């Protein structure tokens, strides 16, 4: 792929993209970042997780700024204009285009639920460049160098990350396991919540069976306090033995 023309001075500058120099600049977790924080976690645990994510996103922004400020960072700042460059096979080779400018906008608009999604997009940017171009090509070599720079910075961010929130499917499996050990009163509470939210309930021989197949994330969030209370009761019972 031919190397794009270098943009004029100031193409990436402080006034347009102010750098976040400290983790304190990440003043809030991204929208969606709190998904799956339930499952029995206490309020203090949720706040601690949100704080870790906020700091991590602040460091992600600083790392992205470093990539864009690199001498070759501008090459990856915008989507590849395959038409103007005459790259007729570009979208055949590159099925999922990505660029650092898009990553920056997603980060600023808090589209990433977890920093690992940010990392995936940055890696995709450089992987695409290295897939389309051959070793020795200026774009390939720039992508390889910046990819190494990213991995060096990402390693320290990743080391401090809380694990990604569980998926909805994982939450359902865990909840189903918890449900089996709940007392009858708690199971009735679960049945009422599911019925209210239109989730699927099966009645067999006078007994109500819970089918979590239609329970959405909001329903699971509402059921989390029931699970938390059950776990706390079990912990107190174990402590008293």
């Amino acid at each position: 792929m031919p190397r794009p023309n270098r943009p004029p001075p100031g193409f990436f500058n402080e006034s347009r993209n102010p750098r976040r120099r400290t983790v304190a600049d990440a003043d809030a977790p991204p929208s969606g970042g709190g998904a799956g924080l339930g499952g029995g976690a206490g309020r203090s645990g949720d706040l601690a997780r949100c704080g870790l994510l906020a700091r991590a996103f602040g460091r992600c922004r600083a790392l992205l700024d470093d990539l864009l400020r690199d001498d070759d960072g501008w090459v990856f700042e915008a989507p590849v204009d395959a038409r103007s460059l005459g790259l007729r096979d570009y979208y055949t080779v590159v099925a999922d285009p990505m660029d650092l400018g898009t990553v920056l906008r997603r980060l600023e608009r808090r589209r990433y639920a977890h920093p690992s999604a940010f990392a995936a997009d940055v890696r995709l940017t450089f992987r695409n460049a290295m897939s389309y171009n051959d070793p020795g090509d200026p774009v390939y070599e720039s992508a390889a160098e910046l990819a190494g720079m990213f991995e060096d910075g990402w390693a320290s961010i990743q080391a401090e990350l809380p694990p990604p929130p569980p998926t909805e499917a994982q939450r359902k499996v865990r909840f189903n396991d918890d449900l089996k050990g709940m007392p009858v009163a708690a199971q009735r509470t679960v049945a009422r919540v599911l019925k209210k939210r239109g989730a699927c309930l099966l009645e067999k021989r006078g007994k109500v069976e819970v089918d979590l197949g239609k329970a959405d994330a909001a329903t699971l969030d509402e059921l989390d306090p029931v699970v938390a209370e059950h776990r706390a009761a079990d912990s107190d019972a174990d402590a008293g033995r």
Side-chain angles (χ1 to χ4, degrees):
M1 183 174 72
R3 189 182 183 87
N5 294 324
R6 189 178 183 91
F11 182 69
F12 184 81
N13 55 54
E14 290 288 342
S15 62
R16 192 172 64 142
N17 296 291
R19 180 174 183 175
R20 296 193 173 188
R21 299 184 181 277
T22 67
V23 295
D25 291 318
D27 54 356
S31 60
L37 292 180
R43 177 65 176 171
S44 60
D46 292 353
L47 292 175
R49 177 185 170 84
C50 287
L52 287 172
L53 287 176
R55 287 192 293 274
F57 276 110
R59 294 184 64 191
C60 288
R61 172 61 190 269
L63 177 56
L64 181 60
D65 286 348
D66 287 341
L67 295 174
L68 288 165
R69 285 183 174 80
D70 185 87
D71 288 344
D72 288 342
W74 59 272
V75 176
F76 308 99
E77 201 268 354
V80 172
D81 190 346
R83 183 175 180 180
S84 67
L85 294 171
L87 309 178
R88 296 181 179 179
D89 64 342
Y90 184 77
Y91 295 109
T92 301
V93 177
V94 178
D96 190 9
M98 185 53 60
D99 62 275
L100 297 185
T102 297
V103 176
L104 176 62
R105 287 188 293 276
R106 289 181 177 180
L107 196 58
E108 290 180 331
R109 295 171 185 174
R110 300 179 179 180
R111 298 289 178 83
Y112 295 119
H114 192 269
S116 59
F118 156 82
D121 276 354
V122 174
R123 286 170 173 151
L124 177 62
T125 299
F126 299 133
R127 185 167 65 251
N128 286 344
M130 295 171 71
S131 295
Y132 189 78
N133 298 279
D134 296 324
D137 182 277
V139 174
Y140 180 102
E141 297 303 327
S142 294
E145 182 178 348
L146 287 177
M149 177 179 170
F150 169 75
E151 295 299 340
D152 289 343
W154 172 250
S156 64
I157 297 174
Q158 187 179 34
E160 299 178 359
L161 281 177
T167 65
E168 193 169 304
Q170 290 171 332
R171 295 180 69 191
K172 287 180 180 180
V173 169
R174 185 179 182 186
F175 181 82
N176 192 55
D177 291 340
D178 287 331
L179 186 61
K180 297 174 182 177
M182 288 183 183
V184 174
Q187 292 184 14
R188 288 174 179 169
T189 300
V190 169
R192 285 197 298 270
V193 171
L194 291 173
K195 186 175 182 179
K196 179 182 68 175
R197 287 191 167 270
C200 189
L201 294 175
L202 304 176
E203 292 195 24
K204 291 183 178 180
R205 299 176 183 177
K207 293 184 179 180
V208 176
E209 294 186 7
V210 173
D211 183 350
L212 295 175
K214 294 184 179 180
D216 57 14
T219 302
L220 295 175
D221 288 342
E222 187 170 351
L223 291 174
D224 279 341
V226 180
V227 177
E229 184 177 351
H230 167 63
R231 288 183 183 148
D234 283 349
S235 296
D236 291 342
D238 290 339
R241 289 173 185 170

